[in-house]
Amino acid sequence: LARALMLLSAIAWLAPSFDLGTDAGFQHLFGADHPVSRALIFTAAVIAAPLGEEAVFRGVLLPGFARQMPPGWALVLSSAVFALFHVPSHGAGAIFPGLPGLVFGWARLRTGNLTAPVLLHATNNALVVLLQWTQ
């Protein structure tokens, strides 16, 4: 949990121009039509975010919680923390990332490694980005 908080603090410090209370920063990025902007957004959303978030939430938090409580409760708790992590960018809609977080966590528990959750997360994010761009 401490690592996740450090990650959030670093992101807020490194990206002060984003209004962390709304989707404004992300809407501005998704509105960029330049190919380089799109490539950077896609890389961040489909490669960097899944790798980083899965390392923290399913690589550190979930196993840590599972050492302290039954795996089902650890899964629910780590997914809730994952949802809370998305509150700055999703507001009250943060419950929506929490639901895939349950699937990603289940995949981690089932396989014992991070490959499946990273691939599921990357696929989810790719679909979200592509759908956002087609609107």
Side-chain angles (χ1 to χ4, degrees), residues 14-100:
L14 291 170
S17 63
F18 283 151
D19 180 358
L20 294 177
T22 68
D23 283 350
F26 293 105
Q27 291 302 326
H28 176 70
L29 281 175
F30 279 113
D33 284 330
H34 194 279
V36 173
S37 296
R38 291 213 168 189
L40 290 172
I41 292 164
F42 196 81
T43 301
V46 178
I47 297 171
L51 287 172
E53 291 179 6
E54 292 309 312
V56 171
F57 294 102
R58 264 60 74 181
V60 176
L61 283 181
L62 179 57
F65 289 153
R67 284 191 292 274
Q68 305 297 322
M69 61 188 70
W73 284 108
L75 176 60
V76 169
L77 183 57
S78 67
S79 297
V81 174
F82 182 69
L84 290 173
F85 175 80
H86 288 85
V87 166
S89 62
H90 292 73
I95 188 155
F96 296 112
L99 298 175

Coordinates of all heavy atoms in Angstrom, one line a residue, residues 14-100:
L14 N 4.7 14.7 -10.9 CA 5.2 14.8 -12.3 C 4.2 15.3 -13.3 O 4.6 15.8 -14.4 CB 5.7 13.4 -12.7 CG 6.9 12.8 -12.0 CD1 7.1 11.4 -12.4 CD2 8.1 13.6 -12.4
A15 N 3.0 15.2 -13.0 CA 1.9 15.7 -14.0 C 1.0 16.7 -13.3 O -0.2 16.5 -13.2 CB 1.2 14.5 -14.5
P16 N 1.5 17.8 -12.8 CA 0.7 18.8 -12.1 C -0.3 19.5 -13.0 O -1.3 20.0 -12.5 CB 1.7 19.8 -11.6 CG 2.8 19.7 -12.5 CD 2.9 18.3 -12.9
S17 N -0.2 19.4 -14.3 CA -1.1 20.1 -15.2 C -2.4 19.3 -15.3 O -3.4 19.9 -15.8 CB -0.5 20.3 -16.6 OG -0.2 19.0 -17.2
F18 N -2.4 18.1 -15.0 CA -3.7 17.3 -15.0 C -4.6 17.7 -13.8 O -4.1 17.8 -12.7 CB -3.5 15.8 -14.9 CG -3.0 15.2 -16.2 CD1 -2.2 14.1 -16.2 CD2 -3.3 15.7 -17.4 CE1 -1.8 13.5 -17.4 CE2 -2.9 15.2 -18.6 CZ -2.1 14.1 -18.6
D19 N -5.8 18.0 -14.1 CA -6.8 18.2 -13.0 C -7.2 16.9 -12.5 O -8.0 16.2 -13.1 CB -8.0 19.0 -13.6 CG -9.0 19.3 -12.5 OD1 -8.8 18.9 -11.4 OD2 -10.0 19.9 -12.9
L20 N -6.6 16.5 -11.4 CA -6.8 15.2 -10.8 C -8.2 14.9 -10.3 O -8.6 13.8 -10.0 CB -5.8 14.8 -9.8 CG -4.3 14.7 -10.3 CD1 -3.4 14.5 -9.1 CD2 -4.2 13.7 -11.3
G21 N -9.0 16.0 -10.2 CA -10.4 15.8 -9.8 C -11.4 15.5 -10.9 O -12.5 15.2 -10.6
T22 N -10.9 15.6 -12.1 CA -11.8 15.4 -13.2 C -11.1 14.6 -14.3 O -9.9 14.3 -14.2 CB -12.4 16.7 -13.8 OG1 -11.3 17.3 -14.5 CG2 -13.0 17.6 -12.8
D23 N -11.8 14.3 -15.4 CA -11.2 13.7 -16.6 C -10.6 14.7 -17.5 O -10.2 14.3 -18.6 CB -12.2 12.9 -17.3 CG -12.6 11.6 -16.6 OD1 -11.9 11.2 -15.7 OD2 -13.5 10.9 -17.1
A24 N -10.5 15.9 -17.2 CA -10.1 17.0 -18.1 C -8.8 16.7 -18.8 O -8.6 16.9 -20.0 CB -10.1 18.3 -17.4
G25 N -7.8 16.3 -18.0 CA -6.4 16.0 -18.5 C -6.5 14.9 -19.5 O -5.9 15.0 -20.6
F26 N -7.2 13.8 -19.2 CA -7.3 12.7 -20.1 C -8.1 13.0 -21.3 O -7.8 12.6 -22.4 CB -7.8 11.5 -19.3 CG -6.9 11.0 -18.3 CD1 -7.1 11.3 -16.9 CD2 -5.7 10.3 -18.6 CE1 -6.2 10.9 -16.0 CE2 -4.8 9.9 -17.7 CZ -5.0 10.2 -16.3
Q27 N -9.2 13.8 -21.1 CA -10.0 14.2 -22.3 C -9.2 15.0 -23.3 O -9.3 14.9 -24.5 CB -11.2 14.9 -21.9 CG -12.2 14.1 -21.1 CD -12.7 12.9 -21.9 OE1 -12.8 12.9 -23.2 NE2 -12.9 11.8 -21.3
H28 N -8.3 15.9 -22.7 CA -7.4 16.7 -23.6 C -6.5 15.8 -24.4 O -6.3 16.0 -25.6 CB -6.6 17.7 -22.7 CG -5.7 18.5 -23.5 ND1 -6.0 19.4 -24.4 CD2 -4.3 18.4 -23.6 CE1 -5.0 19.9 -25.0 NE2 -3.9 19.3 -24.5
L29 N -5.9 14.8 -23.7 CA -5.0 13.8 -24.4 C -5.7 13.0 -25.5 O -5.3 12.9 -26.6 CB -4.4 12.9 -23.4 CG -3.2 13.4 -22.6 CD1 -2.8 12.4 -21.6 CD2 -2.1 13.8 -23.5
F30 N -6.9 12.5 -25.1 CA -7.7 11.7 -26.1 C -8.1 12.5 -27.3 O -8.4 12.0 -28.3 CB -8.8 11.0 -25.4 CG -8.4 9.8 -24.7 CD1 -8.5 9.7 -23.3 CD2 -8.0 8.7 -25.4 CE1 -8.2 8.5 -22.7 CE2 -7.6 7.5 -24.8 CZ -7.7 7.4 -23.4
G31 N -8.3 13.9 -27.1 CA -8.7 14.7 -28.1 C -7.6 15.0 -29.1 O -7.8 15.6 -30.2
A32 N -6.3 14.7 -28.8 CA -5.2 15.0 -29.7 C -5.2 14.1 -30.9 O -5.2 12.9 -30.7 CB -3.9 14.9 -28.9
D33 N -5.2 14.7 -32.1 CA -5.3 13.9 -33.3 C -3.9 13.7 -33.9 O -3.8 13.0 -34.9 CB -6.2 14.6 -34.3 CG -7.6 14.4 -34.0 OD1 -8.0 13.4 -33.4 OD2 -8.4 15.3 -34.3
H34 N -2.9 14.2 -33.4 CA -1.5 14.1 -34.0 C -1.1 12.6 -33.8 O -1.3 12.0 -32.7 CB -0.5 15.0 -33.3 CG 0.7 15.1 -34.0 ND1 1.7 14.2 -33.9 CD2 1.2 16.1 -34.8 CE1 2.7 14.6 -34.7 NE2 2.4 15.7 -35.2
P35 N -0.5 12.0 -34.8 CA -0.1 10.6 -34.7 C 0.9 10.3 -33.6 O 0.8 9.2 -33.0 CB 0.5 10.3 -36.1 CG 0.0 11.3 -37.0 CD -0.3 12.5 -36.2
V36 N 1.8 11.2 -33.3 CA 2.7 11.0 -32.2 C 2.0 11.0 -30.9 O 2.3 10.2 -30.0 CB 3.9 12.1 -32.3 CG1 4.8 12.0 -31.0 CG2 4.7 12.0 -33.5
S37 N 1.1 11.9 -30.7 CA 0.3 11.9 -29.5 C -0.5 10.6 -29.3 O -0.5 10.1 -28.2 CB -0.7 13.1 -29.5 OG -0.1 14.3 -29.5
R38 N -1.1 10.2 -30.4 CA -1.8 8.9 -30.3 C -0.9 7.7 -30.0 O -1.3 6.9 -29.2 CB -2.6 8.7 -31.6 CG -3.7 9.7 -31.7 CD -4.9 9.1 -32.4 NE -6.0 10.0 -32.3 CZ -7.2 9.7 -32.6 NH1 -7.5 8.6 -33.1 NH2 -8.2 10.6 -32.5
A39 N 0.3 7.7 -30.6 CA 1.2 6.6 -30.3 C 1.7 6.6 -28.9 O 1.8 5.6 -28.2 CB 2.4 6.7 -31.2
L40 N 1.9 7.8 -28.3 CA 2.3 8.0 -26.9 C 1.2 7.5 -26.0 O 1.4 6.8 -25.0 CB 2.8 9.4 -26.6 CG 4.1 9.8 -27.2 CD1 4.3 11.3 -27.0 CD2 5.3 9.0 -26.7
I41 N 0.0 8.0 -26.3 CA -1.2 7.6 -25.5 C -1.4 6.1 -25.5 O -1.5 5.5 -24.4 CB -2.4 8.3 -26.0 CG1 -2.3 9.8 -25.7 CG2 -3.7 7.8 -25.3 CD1 -3.3 10.7 -26.5
F42 N -1.3 5.5 -26.7 CA -1.5 4.1 -26.8 C -0.4 3.3 -26.1 O -0.7 2.4 -25.3 CB -1.5 3.7 -28.3 CG -2.1 2.3 -28.5 CD1 -3.5 2.2 -28.5 CD2 -1.3 1.2 -28.7 CE1 -4.1 0.9 -28.7 CE2 -1.9 0.0 -28.9 CZ -3.3 -0.2 -28.9
T43 N 0.8 3.7 -26.2 CA 1.9 3.1 -25.5 C 1.7 3.2 -24.0 O 1.9 2.2 -23.2 CB 3.3 3.7 -25.9 OG1 3.4 3.5 -27.3 CG2 4.4 3.0 -25.2
A44 N 1.4 4.3 -23.5 CA 1.2 4.5 -22.1 C 0.0 3.7 -21.5 O 0.1 3.0 -20.5 CB 1.0 6.0 -21.7
A45 N -1.1 3.7 -22.3 CA -2.3 3.0 -21.8 C -2.2 1.5 -22.0 O -2.7 0.7 -21.1 CB -3.5 3.5 -22.6
V46 N -1.5 1.0 -23.0 CA -1.6 -0.4 -23.3 C -0.3 -1.2 -22.9 O -0.3 -2.4 -22.7 CB -1.8 -0.6 -24.8 CG1 -1.8 -2.1 -25.2 CG2 -3.1 0.0 -25.2
I47 N 0.8 -0.4 -22.7 CA 2.0 -1.1 -22.2 C 2.4 -0.6 -20.8 O 2.5 -1.4 -19.9 CB 3.2 -0.9 -23.2 CG1 2.8 -1.5 -24.5 CG2 4.5 -1.4 -22.6 CD1 3.8 -1.1 -25.7
A48 N 2.6 0.6 -20.6 CA 3.1 1.1 -19.3 C 2.1 1.0 -18.2 O 2.5 0.5 -17.1 CB 3.5 2.6 -19.5
A49 N 0.9 1.4 -18.4 CA -0.1 1.3 -17.3 C -0.3 -0.2 -16.9 O -0.3 -0.5 -15.7 CB -1.4 2.0 -17.7
P50 N -0.6 -1.1 -17.8 CA -0.8 -2.5 -17.4 C 0.4 -3.1 -16.6 O 0.2 -3.7 -15.6 CB -1.1 -3.2 -18.7 CG -1.7 -2.2 -19.6 CD -0.9 -0.9 -19.2
L51 N 1.6 -2.8 -17.1 CA 2.8 -3.3 -16.5 C 3.0 -2.7 -15.1 O 3.2 -3.5 -14.1 CB 4.1 -3.1 -17.3 CG 4.2 -3.9 -18.6 CD1 5.4 -3.4 -19.4 CD2 4.4 -5.4 -18.2
G52 N 2.8 -1.4 -15.0 CA 3.0 -0.8 -13.7 C 1.9 -1.1 -12.7 O 2.2 -1.4 -11.5
E53 N 0.7 -1.0 -13.1 CA -0.4 -1.2 -12.2 C -0.5 -2.7 -11.8 O -0.8 -3.0 -10.6 CB -1.8 -0.8 -12.9 CG -1.9 0.7 -13.0 CD -3.1 1.2 -13.7 OE1 -4.0 0.4 -13.9 OE2 -3.2 2.4 -13.9
E54 N -0.3 -3.6 -12.7 CA -0.3 -5.0 -12.3 C 0.8 -5.4 -11.4 O 0.7 -6.2 -10.5 CB -0.3 -5.9 -13.6 CG -1.6 -5.8 -14.4 CD -2.8 -6.0 -13.6 OE1 -2.9 -7.0 -12.8 OE2 -3.8 -5.2 -13.7
A55 N 2.0 -4.8 -11.6 CA 3.1 -5.0 -10.6 C 2.7 -4.6 -9.2 O 3.0 -5.3 -8.3 CB 4.4 -4.3 -11.1
V56 N 2.1 -3.4 -9.1 CA 1.7 -2.9 -7.8 C 0.5 -3.7 -7.2 O 0.6 -4.2 -6.1 CB 1.4 -1.4 -7.9 CG1 0.8 -0.9 -6.6 CG2 2.6 -0.6 -8.2
F57 N -0.6 -3.7 -8.0 CA -1.8 -4.2 -7.4 C -1.9 -5.8 -7.4 O -2.4 -6.3 -6.4 CB -3.0 -3.7 -8.2 CG -3.2 -2.2 -8.0 CD1 -2.8 -1.3 -9.0 CD2 -3.7 -1.7 -6.8 CE1 -2.9 0.1 -8.8 CE2 -3.7 -0.3 -6.6 CZ -3.3 0.6 -7.6
R58 N -1.5 -6.5 -8.4 CA -1.5 -7.9 -8.4 C -0.2 -8.6 -8.1 O -0.1 -9.7 -7.7 CB -2.0 -8.4 -9.7 CG -3.5 -8.7 -9.7 CD -4.4 -7.6 -9.5 NE -4.5 -6.7 -10.6 CZ -5.3 -5.6 -10.5 NH1 -6.0 -5.3 -9.4 NH2 -5.3 -4.7 -11.5
G59 N 0.9 -7.8 -8.2 CA 2.2 -8.3 -7.8 C 2.6 -8.1 -6.4 O 3.4 -8.9 -5.8
V60 N 2.2 -7.0 -5.8 CA 2.5 -6.7 -4.4 C 1.3 -6.7 -3.5 O 1.4 -7.5 -2.5 CB 3.2 -5.3 -4.3 CG1 3.5 -4.9 -2.9 CG2 4.5 -5.2 -5.2
L61 N 0.3 -6.0 -3.8 CA -0.8 -5.9 -2.9 C -1.6 -7.2 -2.7 O -1.8 -7.6 -1.6 CB -1.8 -4.8 -3.3 CG -1.5 -3.4 -3.0 CD1 -2.5 -2.4 -3.5 CD2 -1.2 -3.1 -1.6
L62 N -2.0 -7.8 -3.8 CA -2.8 -9.0 -3.7 C -2.1 -10.1 -2.9 O -2.6 -10.7 -2.0 CB -3.2 -9.5 -5.1 CG -4.0 -10.8 -5.2 CD1 -5.3 -10.7 -4.3 CD2 -4.4 -11.1 -6.6
P63 N -0.8 -10.5 -3.3 CA -0.1 -11.5 -2.5 C 0.1 -11.1 -1.0 O 0.0 -11.9 -0.1 CB 1.2 -11.7 -3.2 CG 1.1 -11.1 -4.5 CD 0.0 -10.0 -4.4
G64 N 0.3 -9.8 -0.8 CA 0.5 -9.3 0.6 C -0.8 -9.5 1.4 O -0.7 -10.0 2.5
F65 N -1.9 -9.1 0.8 CA -3.2 -9.3 1.5 C -3.5 -10.8 1.7 O -4.0 -11.2 2.7 CB -4.3 -8.6 0.7 CG -4.3 -7.1 0.7 CD1 -4.9 -6.4 -0.4 CD2 -3.7 -6.4 1.7 CE1 -4.9 -5.0 -0.4 CE2 -3.7 -5.0 1.7 CZ -4.3 -4.3 0.7
A66 N -3.1 -11.6 0.6 CA -3.4 -13.0 0.7 C -2.6 -13.7 1.8 O -3.0 -14.8 2.3 CB -3.2 -13.7 -0.6
R67 N -1.5 -13.1 2.2 CA -0.8 -13.7 3.4 C -1.5 -13.4 4.7 O -1.2 -14.1 5.7 CB 0.7 -13.2 3.4 CG 1.5 -13.8 2.3 CD 3.0 -13.5 2.5 NE 3.3 -12.1 2.3 CZ 3.6 -11.5 1.1 NH1 3.6 -12.3 0.0 NH2 3.9 -10.3 1.0
Q68 N -2.3 -12.4 4.7 CA -3.0 -12.0 5.9 C -4.4 -12.4 6.1 O -5.0 -12.3 7.1 CB -2.9 -10.4 6.0 CG -1.5 -9.9 5.9 CD -0.6 -10.3 7.0 OE1 -1.1 -10.4 8.2 NE2 0.6 -10.6 6.7
M69 N -5.0 -12.8 4.9 CA -6.5 -13.1 4.9 C -6.8 -14.2 3.9 O -5.9 -14.4 3.0 CB -7.3 -11.9 4.7 CG -7.0 -11.2 3.4 SD -7.8 -9.6 3.2 CE -6.9 -8.6 4.3
P70 N -8.0 -14.7 3.8 CA -8.3 -15.7 2.8 C -8.2 -15.0 1.4 O -8.4 -13.8 1.2 CB -9.8 -16.0 3.0 CG -10.0 -15.8 4.5 CD -9.1 -14.6 4.8
P71 N -7.8 -15.8 0.4 CA -7.6 -15.2 -1.0 C -8.8 -14.5 -1.5 O -8.6 -13.5 -2.2 CB -7.3 -16.5 -1.8 CG -6.8 -17.5 -0.9 CD -7.5 -17.2 0.4
G72 N -10.0 -14.9 -1.3 CA -11.2 -14.2 -1.8 C -11.3 -12.8 -1.2 O -11.6 -11.9 -1.9
W73 N -11.0 -12.7 0.1 CA -11.0 -11.3 0.7 C -9.9 -10.5 0.2 O -10.0 -9.3 0.0 CB -11.0 -11.4 2.2 CG -12.3 -11.8 2.8 CD1 -12.6 -13.0 3.4 CD2 -13.5 -11.1 2.8 NE1 -13.9 -13.0 3.8 CE2 -14.5 -11.8 3.4 CE3 -13.8 -9.8 2.4 CZ2 -15.8 -11.4 3.6 CZ3 -15.1 -9.3 2.6 CH2 -16.1 -10.1 3.2
A74 N -8.7 -11.1 0.0 CA -7.6 -10.4 -0.6 C -7.9 -9.9 -2.0 O -7.5 -8.7 -2.3 CB -6.4 -11.3 -0.6
L75 N -8.6 -10.7 -2.7 CA -9.0 -10.3 -4.1 C -9.9 -9.1 -4.1 O -9.7 -8.1 -4.8 CB -9.6 -11.5 -4.8 CG -10.2 -11.2 -6.2 CD1 -9.1 -10.8 -7.2 CD2 -10.9 -12.5 -6.7
V76 N -10.9 -9.1 -3.2 CA -11.9 -8.0 -3.1 C -11.2 -6.8 -2.6 O -11.4 -5.7 -3.2 CB -13.0 -8.4 -2.2 CG1 -13.9 -7.2 -1.9 CG2 -13.9 -9.5 -2.8
L77 N -10.3 -6.9 -1.6 CA -9.7 -5.7 -1.0 C -8.7 -5.1 -2.0 O -8.7 -3.9 -2.2 CB -8.9 -6.1 0.3 CG -8.3 -4.9 1.0 CD1 -9.3 -3.8 1.3 CD2 -7.6 -5.5 2.3
S78 N -7.9 -5.9 -2.7 CA -7.0 -5.3 -3.7 C -7.7 -4.7 -4.9 O -7.3 -3.7 -5.4 CB -6.0 -6.4 -4.2 OG -6.6 -7.4 -4.9
S79 N -8.9 -5.3 -5.2 CA -9.7 -4.7 -6.3 C -10.3 -3.4 -5.9 O -10.4 -2.4 -6.7 CB -10.7 -5.6 -6.8 OG -10.2 -6.8 -7.3
A80 N -10.7 -3.3 -4.6 CA -11.2 -2.0 -4.1 C -10.1 -0.9 -4.1 O -10.4 0.2 -4.4 CB -11.7 -2.2 -2.7
V81 N -8.9 -1.3 -3.7 CA -7.8 -0.3 -3.7 C -7.5 0.1 -5.2 O -7.2 1.3 -5.4 CB -6.5 -0.9 -3.0 CG1 -5.3 0.0 -3.2 CG2 -6.8 -1.2 -1.5
F82 N -7.5 -0.9 -6.1 CA -7.4 -0.6 -7.5 C -8.4 0.4 -8.0 O -8.1 1.4 -8.7 CB -7.4 -1.9 -8.3 CG -7.2 -1.8 -9.8 CD1 -6.0 -1.4 -10.3 CD2 -8.3 -2.0 -10.7 CE1 -5.8 -1.3 -11.7 CE2 -8.1 -1.9 -12.0 CZ -6.8 -1.6 -12.5
A83 N -9.7 0.2 -7.6 CA -10.7 1.2 -7.9 C -10.5 2.5 -7.4 O -10.6 3.6 -8.1 CB -12.1 0.6 -7.5
L84 N -10.1 2.6 -6.1 CA -9.8 3.9 -5.5 C -8.6 4.6 -6.2 O -8.6 5.8 -6.3 CB -9.4 3.7 -4.0 CG -10.6 3.3 -3.1 CD1 -10.1 3.0 -1.7 CD2 -11.7 4.4 -3.1
F85 N -7.7 3.9 -6.7 CA -6.5 4.4 -7.4 C -7.0 5.2 -8.6 O -6.4 6.1 -9.1 CB -5.6 3.3 -7.8 CG -4.4 3.7 -8.7 CD1 -3.3 4.3 -8.2 CD2 -4.5 3.5 -10.1 CE1 -2.3 4.7 -9.0 CE2 -3.4 3.8 -10.9 CZ -2.3 4.4 -10.3
H86 N -8.2 4.7 -9.2 CA -8.7 5.3 -10.4 C -9.7 6.5 -10.1 O -10.2 7.1 -11.1 CB -9.4 4.3 -11.3 CG -8.3 3.4 -11.9 ND1 -7.8 2.3 -11.3 CD2 -7.7 3.4 -13.2 CE1 -6.9 1.7 -12.1 NE2 -6.9 2.4 -13.2
V87 N -10.0 6.8 -8.9 CA -10.9 7.9 -8.6 C -10.4 9.2 -9.2 O -11.3 9.9 -9.8 CB -11.1 8.0 -7.1 CG1 -11.8 9.3 -6.7 CG2 -12.0 6.8 -6.6
P88 N -9.1 9.6 -9.1 CA -8.7 10.9 -9.7 C -9.1 11.0 -11.2 O -9.4 12.1 -11.7 CB -7.2 10.9 -9.5 CG -7.0 10.1 -8.3 CD -8.0 9.0 -8.4
S89 N -9.0 9.9 -11.9 CA -9.3 10.0 -13.4 C -10.7 9.6 -13.7 O -11.2 10.0 -14.8 CB -8.3 9.1 -14.2 OG -8.4 7.7 -13.8
H90 N -11.4 8.9 -12.9 CA -12.7 8.4 -13.2 C -13.8 8.9 -12.3 O -15.0 8.7 -12.6 CB -12.8 6.8 -13.1 CG -12.0 6.2 -14.2 ND1 -10.6 6.1 -14.2 CD2 -12.3 5.5 -15.3 CE1 -10.2 5.4 -15.2 NE2 -11.2 5.1 -15.9
G91 N -13.5 9.6 -11.2 CA -14.5 10.1 -10.3 C -15.3 9.0 -9.7 O -14.8 7.9 -9.4
A92 N -16.6 9.2 -9.6 CA -17.5 8.1 -9.1 C -17.5 6.9 -10.0 O -17.9 5.8 -9.5 CB -18.9 8.7 -8.9
G93 N -17.1 7.0 -11.2 CA -17.1 5.9 -12.1 C -15.9 5.0 -11.9 O -15.7 4.0 -12.6
A94 N -15.2 5.2 -10.8 CA -14.0 4.3 -10.5 C -14.4 2.9 -10.2 O -13.6 2.0 -10.2 CB -13.2 4.9 -9.3
I95 N -15.7 2.6 -9.9 CA -16.2 1.3 -9.7 C -15.9 0.4 -10.9 O -15.7 -0.8 -10.9 CB -17.6 1.2 -9.3 CG1 -18.0 -0.2 -8.9 CG2 -18.6 1.7 -10.4 CD1 -19.1 -0.4 -7.9
F96 N -16.0 1.1 -12.1 CA -15.8 0.3 -13.4 C -14.4 -0.3 -13.5 O -14.3 -1.4 -13.9 CB -16.2 1.2 -14.6 CG -17.7 1.5 -14.5 CD1 -18.1 2.8 -14.3 CD2 -18.6 0.6 -14.7 CE1 -19.4 3.2 -14.3 CE2 -20.0 0.9 -14.6 CZ -20.4 2.2 -14.4
P97 N -13.3 0.4 -13.2 CA -12.0 -0.3 -13.2 C -11.9 -1.3 -12.1 O -11.2 -2.3 -12.2 CB -11.0 0.8 -12.9 CG -11.7 2.1 -13.4 CD -13.2 1.9 -13.1
G98 N -12.7 -1.2 -11.0 CA -12.6 -2.2 -9.9 C -13.2 -3.5 -10.4 O -12.7 -4.6 -9.9
L99 N -14.1 -3.5 -11.3 CA -14.7 -4.8 -11.7 C -13.7 -5.6 -12.6 O -13.5 -6.8 -12.3 CB -16.0 -4.5 -12.5 CG -17.1 -3.9 -11.6 CD1 -18.3 -3.6 -12.5 CD2 -17.5 -4.8 -10.5
P100 N -13.0 -5.0 -13.6 CA -12.0 -5.7 -14.2 C -10.8 -6.1 -13.3 O -10.2 -7.1 -13.5 CB -11.5 -4.8 -15.3 CG -12.5 -3.8 -15.5 CD -13.3 -3.7 -14.2

